[in-house]
Each structure stands twice: as structure tokens, then as C-alpha cells.
Amino acid sequence: MKFKTLFLSTGFTLAAFAAPLAAKDWKTATITLEGAYAPWNLTNADGSLGGFEPELAKVLCERAKIECKLVASDWDGMIPALNAGKFDVIMDALSITEERKKIIDFTVPYAATPAAFATAKDSPLANAAGTGSTIKMTPGQTGVKEIEGLKEAFKDKTIGIQAATVYAKFVYDNFGSIADIREYKTGADRDLDLQSGRIDLGFDDAVYFNNAFQAANGALAFTGPEIAGSIWGEGEGLGLRKADTDLRDKFNEAIKSALADGTVKNLSMKWFKVDVSPQQ
């Protein structure tokens, strides 16, 4: 799950209240994705968008009886652009958090995934304590023994994170005082430096890393436990303007339907090899 941080600003707040209040018929809608966060979403050789989310978007739009257009855009400008009316929906592994709810609205979640550290497979940091296990954390939780153990193991190391993500916030909050934190515009840029040895560790969504490991031909691997739980919010949902409650409701029904009949499970098994359906 790519749990991305919201940086509050006056511009963001004003944009949220500037959204039109008039109800719309919603025969059409524009959905934005990064197109660079495989297997959640990716850009095909012909320029079209593919991956788990574009395929799920097709299903959701059909069920909501909306003609949808998918467009790629940079992650770090998505939320202000949404509130400025440049598109109608964000679908980019966007986790539902209380912080974000102050600025935008969300549908019910369509996925929920853990996060994890990764390192070079032959690194001395490989197989840190807890590798292969999963721990659950809550927002603001401290004193977790597994995290304290990783702090000792990762002291004075360089950790790469994608900028403007809550994964980044987690790393800064827990490891900022003992490690060098390096930010990247995309996860792929970070992964290249991790594979080449320019950084020691990366931290990101676990199912994203599974795909990155394949792209790296087995040169990268998880280290330490996977981290799950409410620390990452309710799960990943569609982000919408606060005023567009009618559009939100249409997509809510579509998501619930796709979860109930196994469509989300089938697509997640296709793209992630695991079921990322949120627990109901």
C-alpha cells in the first residue's frame, strides 16, 4: 500500500472549499493514476495505463454506469489538482487517513496492504530480526520491540523513501534520528539506487516491492518484519472532492459489489499474487 502523506497548506484548504456544490449527473469522470507504481498501476509500451487499479477502475466505472477517462499525473501534485478540478478521482494506492479526510473525501477501501523494508539480497542488513513475520501497529505507537531492534540494526545507514508518502513519515518518525533518509520522486528511482548500492535500505508498500524484486532479477529482498495495521489507515480508497458526495456514493456501491463477488480478489491475485481485499 502506498500510504502517501498529505502536506497541509492554505492553498490546499482553500481549494477544498472552492469545489462546486451543485450536484452533477456524473455520466463521465476523469480518474488520475501515477502510471509508475507497478503493479498497482503502470504505463504500457503503447502509452496506455495498465495494472491492478486501471483494470479495477474499468469494472467500477461500468458498475457505476460512468464513462471514465484515465490520465497519468505526478503523485506530489495530485491532491491540489483534484481540488482545483483538473480531474475527479485519485486512484493511486491512496490510503485513507484522518489527516487526508480534512482535505478530500474517500470511498470505502478497495485494498489494504502492509509495508516493509527492502535491501540488497547479499547485504549484511539482509534477514534482520523478524524477517518473514508480520507485526501490527497503530498510529503514533512507540516502543515496539521489533522497531527498536531495527533501529539498532539500521543505525547510520541510508534509507530511501518516495517523497511525500506516509511511508516517508513513518521512516522519519522512527528512524530519522539514527539514519540518513534520502527522498526520491518515484519508487523506481529509489529501487535503482538500492540495487546499485548507493543506499542501504528502502521502505515501501510490500506488494509494490514484490514486483520490484522481480524487476531486479532477485537482487533485492525483504528484511525485517512486514508492518500492517491501522497505522496505514483504513486501506486504499478512491480520493474525491468533498463536494462530490454523489460520485463517492456511486463508487462506494461499485466497490462493495466488486468486493462481494470476488472481483477485487481475482484482480489482486492476478497482479499481486495475494488477496489484498480489505477485511470486511
Side-chain angles (χ1 to χ4, degrees), residues 182-261:
R182 189 171 301 175
E183 294 189 0
Y184 293 83
K185 186 175 180 63
T186 70
D189 291 340
R190 183 266 324 282
D191 298 343
L192 288 174
D193 273 6
L194 183 58
Q195 190 174 352
S196 68
R198 286 188 285 270
I199 59 174
D200 302 301
L201 298 148
F203 189 73
D204 213 315
D205 172 68
V207 296
Y208 164 83
F209 267 144
N210 275 326
N211 187 78
F213 294 167
Q214 294 180 35
N217 296 316
L220 304 177
F222 289 119
T223 188
E226 290 189 356
I227 301 167
S230 61
I231 189 170
W232 309 130
E234 301 169 33
E236 288 87 0
L238 303 181
L240 309 95
R241 289 180 290 271
K242 282 183 172 289
D244 294 337
T245 56
D246 41 0
L247 182 60
R248 178 203 64 199
D249 292 345
K250 286 178 180 287
F251 277 121
N252 273 344
E253 292 307 309
I255 292 170
K256 291 175 183 177
S257 171
L259 287 169
D261 69 8

Side-chain angles (χ1 to χ4, degrees), residues 65-150:
K65 294 180 170 56
I66 298 172
E67 183 179 342
C68 294
K69 177 183 179 182
L70 303 186
V71 298
S73 60
D74 290 339
W75 157 248
D76 53 7
M78 281 184 183
I79 291 177
L82 172 70
N83 279 330
K86 293 185 177 180
F87 37 76
D88 305 303
V89 180
I90 297 173
M91 190 179 193
D92 194 38
L94 183 67
S95 292
I96 304 165
T97 69
E98 293 304 316
E99 186 181 16
R100 288 201 182 100
K101 286 180 180 178
K102 298 173 184 177
I103 302 301
I104 61 175
D105 202 357
F106 286 93
T107 61
V108 295
Y110 55 82
T113 54
F117 283 99
T119 191
K121 198 169 186 177
D122 59 357
S123 167
L125 300 176
N127 297 309
T131 301
S133 67
T134 300
I135 61 172
K136 290 187 176 181
M137 293 181 64
T138 58
Q141 186 177 2
T142 59
V144 179
K145 64 178 182 179
E146 292 87 351
I147 301 302
E148 294 304 315
L150 292 181

Side-chain angles (χ1 to χ4, degrees), residues 1-2 4 33-44 49-54 91-93 162 186-191 204-215 270-272:
M1 147 189 85
K2 193 178 185 180
K4 301 170 178 175
L33 313 94
E34 224 172 329
Y37 197 63
W40 290 89
N41 56 78
L42 53 93
T43 302
N44 296 314
L49 291 167
F52 170 72
E53 288 173 319
M91 190 179 193
D92 194 38
Q162 185 177 3
T186 70
D189 291 340
R190 183 266 324 282
D191 298 343
D204 213 315
D205 172 68
V207 296
Y208 164 83
F209 267 144
N210 275 326
N211 187 78
F213 294 167
Q214 294 180 35
K270 173 184 176 179
W271 286 100
F272 302 131

